[in-house]
Amino acid sequence: MNKPLVGALFAVLLLGAGTAPAVAATSHDAAAPTVKVAAPQAVKAKAVNFAGTVALSNCSGSVVRTAASLPSDPALVLSNGHCMETGFPGPGEVVVNRSSTRSFTLLNSAGTGVGTLRASKIAYGTMTDTDISLYQLTRTYAQIESTYGIKALELNAAHPVQGTAITVVSGYWKRTYSCNVDGFVYRLKEGEWTWKDSVRYTSACQTIGGTSGSPVIDNATGKVVAVNNTGNEDGQQCTDNNPCEVDESGNVTVRQGINYAQETYGIVPCIGTVSRIDLNRAGCTLPKP
């Protein structure tokens, strides 16, 4: 994993930024989806900056919304499951609606901290099938925009596309990493955890510890398509901090120095009115407790 930089309850805490235990954001149990390849972009790419990202005590994150979110809805912060202050959730463990007062430093476009946001609860968190956490804040999207002039990042509702130009934006390090979606991994295994349909970066994204939880932004749309979470550091096979790729036939591939993210489009169907995480909503496939 692009380990949390500080205080994670993991036996082998990585101090490198960027690779967190590979807990893939939203995946699918069924056969791997048909690989999509990005068509040439005729539209001018949006400038990717730090606005809407946050710094946690040990990781990165971002204020996120869906296309259907209302200004009056409580805002949500997206990060990794392995970045939760409660420690790494075990295989099969799902955290829902757990009280939290965690604070986040909100960044502007230049990467300057402009204020502190506070959680009211961990709305959802897991490292099973994916590696995500969603915190509900005490402020609404409208209140954040009115106070700081910063809008939330929108979650893309569609599956990422191979070849897409992306930027990993780390609020912790105030640093960006630019590369492309190299492909998708049927199963990504790291230690006790398995993630499904993970995003593999091209080699240019050399994320490090502390970048865990960073939003992965599609340069053309400015929308979040994944959340950064891990990478193979030492070339080992399927061990902590050394995830391996497993295909549908069970073949294992190790790619030392390559980093990964978990898709986020599967989160969108699970977010209901007033930012409530409803695991029974139509189309929601996130793991349940």
Side-chain angles (χ1 to χ4, degrees):
M1 306 176 210
N2 288 148
K3 318 126 197 138
L5 217 68
V6 181
L9 303 178
F10 194 53
V12 186
L13 244 194
L14 299 183
L15 293 180
T19 343
V23 180
T26 312
S27 315
H28 318 286
D29 253 330
T34 302
V35 174
K36 302 175 183 178
V37 179
Q41 297 283 350
V43 180
K44 182 179 180 180
K46 296 178 180 295
V48 175
N49 56 48
F50 294 96
T53 64
V54 299
L56 286 65
S57 58
N58 58 349
C59 286
S60 300
S62 56
V63 181
V64 296
R65 63 183 294 274
T66 69
S69 295
L70 299 177
S72 57
D73 291 340
L76 296 172
V77 162
L78 170 69
S79 190
N80 284 147
H82 76 262
C83 290
M84 292 192 294
E85 71 271 29
T86 51
F88 289 13
E93 182 180 357
V94 176
V95 175
V96 178
N97 294 330
R98 180 176 297 178
S99 179
S100 174
T101 58
R102 192 167 196 183
S103 62
F104 311 88
T105 301
L106 179 66
L107 305 184
N108 63 15
S109 60
T112 302
V114 294
T116 299
L117 304 177
R118 193 166 297 279
S120 61
K121 64 182 179 180
I122 301 174
Y124 184 87
T126 191
M127 287 180 66
T128 297
D129 293 353
T130 185
D131 185 5
I132 62 169
S133 61
L134 287 165
Y135 286 83
Q136 184 171 304
L137 303 183
T138 58
R139 299 195 203 186
T140 66
Y141 294 112
Q143 289 171 331
I144 293 172
E145 185 173 356
S146 174
T147 303
Y148 304 109
I150 294 173
K151 295 182 178 181
L153 300 176
E154 184 178 334
L155 295 171
N156 195 329
H159 190 284
V161 176
Q162 185 177 12
T164 297
I166 54 175
T167 302
V168 182
V169 186
S170 172
Y172 185 92
W173 288 111
K174 300 176 177 59
R175 179 177 174 183
T176 62
Y177 302 80
S178 297
C179 59
N180 294 77
V181 174
D182 186 52
F184 305 98
V185 183
Y186 178 68
R187 297 290 185 268
L188 190 65
K189 294 181 65 68
E190 180 176 340
E192 299 180 273
W193 296 276
T194 298
W195 301 297
K196 301 174 181 177
D197 195 21
S198 303
V199 173
R200 179 177 61 242
Y201 305 144
T202 52
S203 59
C205 278
Q206 289 295 305
T207 50
I208 57 174
T211 61
S212 289
S214 299
V216 180
I217 298 175
D218 181 329
N219 293 353
T221 65
K223 296 180 181 181
V224 178
V225 296
V227 57
N228 180 68
N229 84 309
T230 197
N232 187 295
E233 298 187 350
D234 307 311
Q236 296 177 20
Q237 180 173 299
C238 314
T239 62
D240 295 337
N241 307 317
N242 290 284
C244 63
E245 301 182 11
V246 183
D247 68 17
E248 293 173 85
S249 300
N251 299 310
V252 176
T253 301
V254 173
R255 302 177 191 268
Q256 184 175 3
I258 294 298
N259 296 293
Y260 303 88
Q262 303 309 313
E263 297 166 357
T264 50
Y265 78 98
I267 298 172
V268 175
C270 307
I271 300 177
T273 56
V274 295
S275 301
R276 179 170 175 264
I277 307 303
D278 183 355
L279 301 179
N280 295 313
R281 290 189 88 218
C284 179
T285 59
L286 288 178
K288 298 179 180 180

